[in-house]
Amino acid sequence: MQGFRSVLLGSALGLTLTGVAWAQDDTIKIGVLHSLSGTMAISETTLKDTVLMMVEQQNAKGGLLGKQIEAVVVDPASDWPLFAEKARELISDQGVDAIFGCWTSVSRKSVLPVIEELNGLLFYPVQYEGEESSKNVIYTGAAPNQQAIPAVNYMRDELGVEKWALLGTDYVYPRTTNTILEAYLKDNGVAEEDIFVNYTPFGHSDWSKIVADVVALGNDGKQVGVVSTINGDANVGFYKELAAAGVSAMDLPVMAFSVGEEELSGLDTENLVGHLAAWNYFESADTPENAAFIEEWRSFTGDENRVTNDPMEATMIGFNAWVAAVEAAGSPETDAVLDAIVGVEVPNLTGSTATVLPNHHLTKPVLIGEIREDGQFDIVSETDPVPGDAWTDFLPDSAVLDADWPGKACGMFNTETGNCVQVQSNY
């Protein structure tokens, strides 16, 4: 596609011929950019399947703009530079109009320069650290004000947590999230010595010393709580070590931001009952929309035991928002979709509505769930939909920033100086 475009005599001719080429295509192509191997496959394979289910359902309705949707699946194999290569392949070689993919922030950061250079469109379906708003990304997962901050408030107010262990995998999402949480906790009177931070590599398996160190934090009698941004299959070892150490949720509550039904399905959850997770969706949500989604998922997979989770809902919301924007625009081209997508409203699975905001984030309810013996969650707290904040209020340099793509054409607008700091993302 790029080679063909380079020989065109002018941009107007290029646009005309590109439109003709699209009109003659038999399908509208989308890319599926999720790890199907490596440490993140435990989480991302399900999202690949979710996209394929959504495509099948949309095609059964007649497709989109009179065409069938074709999903082009690639495997970046939990290799962050490979995400960028595969994204370039999807846009330049396969000619996809949108990409649904990535889980970790390091994979998203790897993809950002590619999609911004090629004017691609990424729907990113996982909670993340914020501090970003790209023209070329729709963030359908939670920003920190839709997960991390409410989760900490719950632990403080409902569980009496006074000392905090912030445990994360060593990459940008945990580090940035914990920087925000440290600032927030200190602003709310928590002493620096009552905050313990630790990072481990992807796939980390020996948790005995870390768990022992965290348990020891409570030797002074203060209630300790763990905020976990541990990602991927490292969670298996972490929760097994908690169980082996005889640590219950009463002794040491854990609030996880990256553990849902999929991760728990491979664990013996008997000793994890009462530990917590903060998401915007749980499979146990009691709504007609969720019951229908679960039934469709199990029918699609042919597995009555296959669970659903939050990033699946975010994937579904993103796909439906893309479909609505393409229909409104009358075209799957990136700029046309971006012009149409802000303000799009689609139902979520918990009974309310997700709205695409000018900062390319969504409105999302905040749910806190307690782990049950069957690997599901009892929902113990739920809010009305909260607007996602691209830039946190708890870091001074970020508090003055705003993102507004249709209004200011800027994802990093300084509200004090009235200037757009930069249009491209911080990679």
Side-chain angles (χ1 to χ4, degrees):
M1 180 67 76
Q2 287 299 107
F4 173 71
R5 288 179 180 172
S6 68
V7 303
L8 298 177
L9 297 178
S11 60
L13 179 59
L15 288 172
T16 301
L17 292 185
T18 299
V20 171
W22 170 77
Q24 293 174 345
D25 284 345
D26 292 331
T27 62
I28 296 174
K29 288 185 178 181
I30 62 171
V32 184
L33 184 66
H34 282 301
S35 295
L36 311 181
S37 57
T39 188
M40 291 308 301
I42 185 177
S43 299
E44 294 191 61
T45 299
T46 290
L47 300 192
K48 177 265 295 181
D49 292 338
T50 304
V51 177
L52 296 183
M53 180 180 74
M54 300 304 297
V55 168
E56 181 179 285
Q57 291 176 346
Q58 188 64 35
N59 284 338
K61 298 174 186 175
L64 187 58
L65 303 182
K67 300 177 183 291
Q68 293 286 283
I69 302 170
E70 178 185 348
V72 182
V73 178
V74 295
D75 179 15
S78 306
D79 180 335
W80 318 134
L82 191 56
F83 270 85
E85 294 179 28
K86 292 295 185 181
R88 186 174 295 277
E89 173 189 321
L90 286 170
I91 299 170
S92 295
D93 298 340
Q94 297 292 338
V96 304
D97 289 299
I99 295 173
F100 295 83
C102 301
W103 181 292
T104 67
S105 285
V106 66
S107 66
R108 188 191 70 258
K109 293 285 189 184
S110 177
V111 166
L112 274 176
V114 175
I115 61 170
E116 291 187 349
E117 172 198 342
L118 300 177
N119 199 30
L121 180 57
L122 172 68
F123 286 81
Y124 178 64
V126 185
Q127 90 293 343
Y128 85 121
E129 71 281 359
E131 307 305 285
E132 180 182 302
S133 178
S134 170
K135 170 199 165 189
N136 299 90
V137 181
I138 303 298
Y139 304 82
T140 63
N145 73 305
Q146 298 170 307
Q147 184 187 40
I149 300 297
V152 164
N153 289 344
Y154 181 88
M155 296 182 80
R156 178 195 63 204
D157 298 340
E158 302 297 329
L159 306 179
V161 171
E162 299 176 277
K163 298 184 78 170
W164 304 83
L166 310 182
L167 307 183
T169 302
D170 192 5
Y171 73 106
V172 62
Y173 161 61
R175 285 189 173 273
T176 305
T177 298
N178 287 339
T179 297
I180 293 169
L181 288 180
E182 282 189 85
Y184 179 73
L185 290 169
K186 290 175 182 177
D187 285 350
N188 283 269
V190 178
E192 185 171 356
E193 58 268 24
D194 287 340
I195 304 173
F196 169 77
V197 184
N198 184 267
Y199 298 101
T200 46
F202 280 96
H204 187 73
S205 58
D206 184 3
W207 290 95
S208 56
K209 184 179 187 306
I210 295 170
V211 168
D213 288 345
V214 171
V215 171
L217 294 174
N219 288 343
D220 60 359
K222 289 185 177 180
Q223 177 65 59
V224 179
V226 173
V227 176
S228 170
T229 48
I230 300 165
N231 261 257
D233 55 10
N235 278 294
V236 176
F238 172 62
Y239 281 99
K240 282 185 176 179
E241 183 59 37
L242 286 177
V247 176
S248 72
M250 292 287 291
D251 304 323
L252 184 72
V254 176
M255 178 74 75
F257 297 164
S258 297
V259 171
E261 294 85 349
E262 185 80 13
E263 289 76 16
L264 291 178
S265 65
L267 293 174
D268 179 0
T269 56
E270 181 180 354
N271 294 312
L272 301 182
V273 173
H275 286 302
L276 304 160
W279 291 102
N280 309 111
Y281 163 87
F282 289 108
E283 183 179 302
S284 54
D286 186 13
T287 66
E289 297 88 349
N290 190 39
F293 183 77
I294 293 169
E295 182 179 354
E296 291 163 359
W297 174 240
R298 291 175 178 169
S299 174
F300 176 78
T301 61
D303 184 351
E304 285 298 313
N305 296 315
R306 192 81 179 267
V307 296
T308 60
N309 61 30
D310 178 284
M312 287 178 62
E313 187 210 32
T315 297
M316 179 273 293
I317 289 171
F319 183 88
N320 287 338
W322 173 73
V323 167
V326 170
E327 291 176 337
S331 168
E333 295 289 329
T334 295
D335 289 339
V337 171
L338 288 176
D339 285 343
I341 201 166
V342 172
V344 162
E345 296 183 356
V346 296
N348 61 29
L349 297 176
T350 53
S352 55
T353 300
T355 304
V356 182
L357 302 172
N359 62 11
H360 283 188
H361 292 64
L362 304 184
T363 57
K364 299 179 78 72
V366 183
L367 280 63
I368 308 294
E370 284 188 0
I371 298 174
R372 304 190 315 218
E373 284 192 25
D374 63 358
Q376 291 292 322
F377 291 85
D378 281 328
I379 299 171
V380 296
S381 176
E382 181 174 356
T383 71
D384 292 331
V386 175
D389 190 357
W391 301 98
T392 184
D393 295 332
F394 305 109
L395 299 177
D397 290 342
S398 297
V400 299
L401 297 178
D402 192 15
D404 181 359
W405 286 106
K408 299 183 175 71
C410 184
M412 191 185 292
F413 186 85
N414 190 309
T415 58
E416 290 186 344
T417 65
N419 294 322
C420 184
V421 180
Q422 62 187 56
V423 175
Q424 284 192 321
S425 299
N426 286 325
Y427 306 134

